[in-house]
Amino acid sequence: MTEYSPFSLHGKHILVAGASSGIGWAICKSIVAAGGKVTGVARRADLLQKMVQELGEGNAFFIEADLATDNGIEKVAAMMPDVNGLVYAAGVSKMLPLKFIKRESLEELMNINYFSMVLLLAQMVRQKKIKRNAHSSIVLISSVAQQIGTKSSILYTGSKGAMSSASKAIANELSSQKIRVNTIEPGMVQTAMASEMEDVISAEAVEKDKAKYPLGYGMPDDVANTAVFLLSDASKWMTGRSLTLDGGRYVLLD
Amino acid sequence: MDKNHFLQSFAEQFDDTDPSTITLETHFKEMEEWSSMVALMIIAMVDEQYSKKITGADLREANTIEQLFERVSSK
Ligand SMILES: NC(=O)c1ccc[n+]([C@@H]2O[C@H](COP(=O)([O-])OP(=O)(O)OC[C@H]3O[C@@H](n4cnc5c(N)ncnc54)[C@H](OP(=O)(O)O)[C@@H]3O)[C@@H](O)[C@H]2O)c1
């Protein structure tokens, strides 16, 4: 018989919002690898279906929903069984210099990156779907962008700053139910989001940026494994905190 | 799409360069004020005014403002 490991997710069911690609997809994979079950949420059902096929029916489930809408959020909260954890990895990014910002683009990013995170948690908590007094854990994928000031990143940085700040207040509110809330703040991770940025700012600029990362750009797995730690009982004394994953980019200076 | 209107919108993205010195023949990436930030402004300007998406590659491949105009028009 294998010994109990606090790093295992055995017996835990986790909801992952933004599960159809990139970091969210890698998190689903790592949850199942760590012995847990996962329900992935996103709009692209074909990709979610693939995820379930790869991870195995019985280990992985999916709900197709647009989290940018109240209907989508209600659908997820209604369909979900009680869970031991939730990861919010749904998000979009857009680079726009200050003078081009209009209410529409601000609302678009704030909506999915911040409002929907709060509203999904609100519904899940209201319906008592996050198990209480059972070491449940919420992990929010924010960004190192909210610690620094990259040009043209106002829309994104503001939405992630809101997420990171609010996470502490949410952690405080949920602490009496022993539900923990922590954020991960990654630097550049090689996903579709990163390739979109490459399209906008050119491959040369990306190469130059990559060279500034002592350990190079991150891979989705790097974030996923940290998420598993935060979801597991191994981190049961940690709440209201943030882990920066940036390959040393913003702390190891020449 | 009007070429001169494009030129004017392009020139508006610069703060320190006299707009009268910017012409359709200007090799824009050789301008003193050209930077990655100005590049992002051009991309945003094209999106806002012409509802067209251009990328860093379009800026790299065009040398003059006129060449960029042609690329944008063909999208
Ligand atoms: N890549 C990086 O360098 C990096 C760095 C720091 C933080 N992050 C954060 O990590 C998270 C994941 O990003 P990623 O890099 O993995 O990007 P990605 O591959 O584009 O994944 C984004 C995910 O969000 C989902 N999503 C977006 N809008 C949605 C909506 N309205 N309803 C439901 N789901 C929606 C997408 O699914 P559908 O399109 O199928 O709906 C997709 O699964 C984001 O919050 C991002 O800000 C990324």
Side-chain angles (χ1 to χ4, degrees):
Chain A
M1 204 183 95
T2 48
E3 236 172 81
Y4 161 77
S5 162
F7 292 93
S8 159
L9 295 183
H10 207 83
K12 291 186 190 280
H13 187 161
I14 313 293
L15 166 61
V16 176
S20 61
S21 67
I23 292 172
W25 201 97
I27 290 174
C28 294
K29 214 165 138 183
S30 294
I31 288 170
V32 171
K37 290 192 191 324
V38 69
T39 296
V41 177
R43 292 166 300 183
R44 287 170 292 174
D46 51 331
L47 297 179
L48 293 170
Q49 184 84 58
K50 235 190 221 161
M51 185 267 292
V52 169
Q53 265 163 16
E54 195 172 318
L55 303 184
E57 286 172 26
N59 293 325
F61 311 87
F62 79 89
I63 301 173
E64 175 187 356
D66 182 353
L67 291 170
T69 66
D70 287 343
N71 280 347
I73 290 170
E74 278 160 24
K75 177 178 175 187
V76 173
M79 286 178 73
M80 280 310 292
D82 291 357
V83 292
N84 305 82
L86 185 155
V87 179
Y88 195 86
V92 295
S93 167
K94 186 176 179 130
M95 294 177 84
L96 210 54
L98 176 62
K99 68 180 183 186
F100 290 96
I101 293 178
K102 304 255 170 65
R103 186 172 294 280
E104 194 186 346
S105 47
L106 254 179
E107 281 178 351
E108 184 199 338
L109 260 82
M110 282 308 267
N111 194 22
I112 185 67
N113 291 3
Y114 177 61
F115 294 168
S116 297
M117 177 278 287
V118 176
L119 294 169
L120 178 63
L121 291 185
Q123 284 308 313
M124 291 293 288
V125 168
R126 179 188 277 257
Q127 298 182 30
K128 303 193 194 319
K129 291 224 164 158
I130 304 177
K131 288 185 184 159
R132 285 154 290 151
N133 304 311
H135 301 309
S136 291
S137 168
I138 294 169
V139 179
L140 308 177
I141 310 300
S142 180
S143 170
V144 77
Q146 76 90 24
Q147 300 173 26
I148 54 177
T150 315
K151 284 177 189 164
S152 280
S153 76
I154 299 159
L155 296 174
Y156 185 70
T157 296
S159 69
K160 294 298 188 182
M163 172 188 256
S164 288
S165 301
S167 69
K168 296 170 204 142
I170 301 170
N172 205 350
E173 275 202 33
L174 299 184
S175 62
S176 61
Q177 304 176 31
K178 299 281 184 289
I179 298 171
R180 304 181 292 110
V181 184
N182 294 288
T183 60
I184 299 178
E185 298 185 348
M188 281 300 276
V189 180
Q190 270 156 348
T191 66
M193 189 176 276
S195 324
E196 261 171 45
M197 300 257 291
E198 191 167 318
D199 278 351
V200 174
I201 63 174
S202 89
E204 291 100 303
V206 168
E207 278 312 312
K208 249 168 110 184
D209 183 55
K210 204 182 273 182
K212 293 184 190 151
Y213 279 70
L215 300 184
Y217 278 179
M219 297 304 289
D221 281 357
D222 295 322
V223 181
N225 291 328
T226 301
V228 165
F229 164 68
L230 290 175
L231 291 167
S232 76
D233 295 353
S235 62
K236 73 179 167 46
W237 200 43
M238 179 169 174
T239 192
R241 291 289 177 184
S242 163
L243 288 174
T244 299
L245 299 178
D246 66 353
R249 167 69 176 89
Y250 295 101
V251 71
L252 308 183
L253 304 177
D254 275 340
Chain B
M1 263 179 76
D2 177 62
K3 242 186 222 181
N4 287 317
H5 180 257
F6 182 81
L7 176 63
Q8 194 191 332
S9 304
F10 190 101
E12 271 169 17
Q13 306 315 318
F14 295 83
D15 291 320
D16 300 325
T17 311
D18 175 359
S20 67
T21 64
I22 306 177
T23 68
L24 285 166
E25 288 74 43
T26 300
H27 283 64
F28 56 90
K29 283 166 286 177
E30 288 163 22
M31 291 168 68
E32 210 182 327
E33 212 189 321
W34 182 255
S35 66
S36 58
M37 188 65 202
V38 176
L40 286 166
M41 291 197 198
I42 301 296
I43 292 170
M45 178 277 286
V46 170
D47 186 16
E48 185 180 280
Q49 305 219 0
Y50 303 101
S51 305
K52 294 192 186 201
K53 303 257 178 261
I54 58 164
T55 65
D58 290 303
L59 292 175
R60 193 171 52 249
E61 274 155 41
N63 291 315
T64 65
I65 298 173
E66 183 154 28
Q67 286 167 358
L68 183 65
F69 170 82
E70 301 300 344
R71 292 188 80 88
V72 175
S73 315
S74 69
K75 290 207 177 231

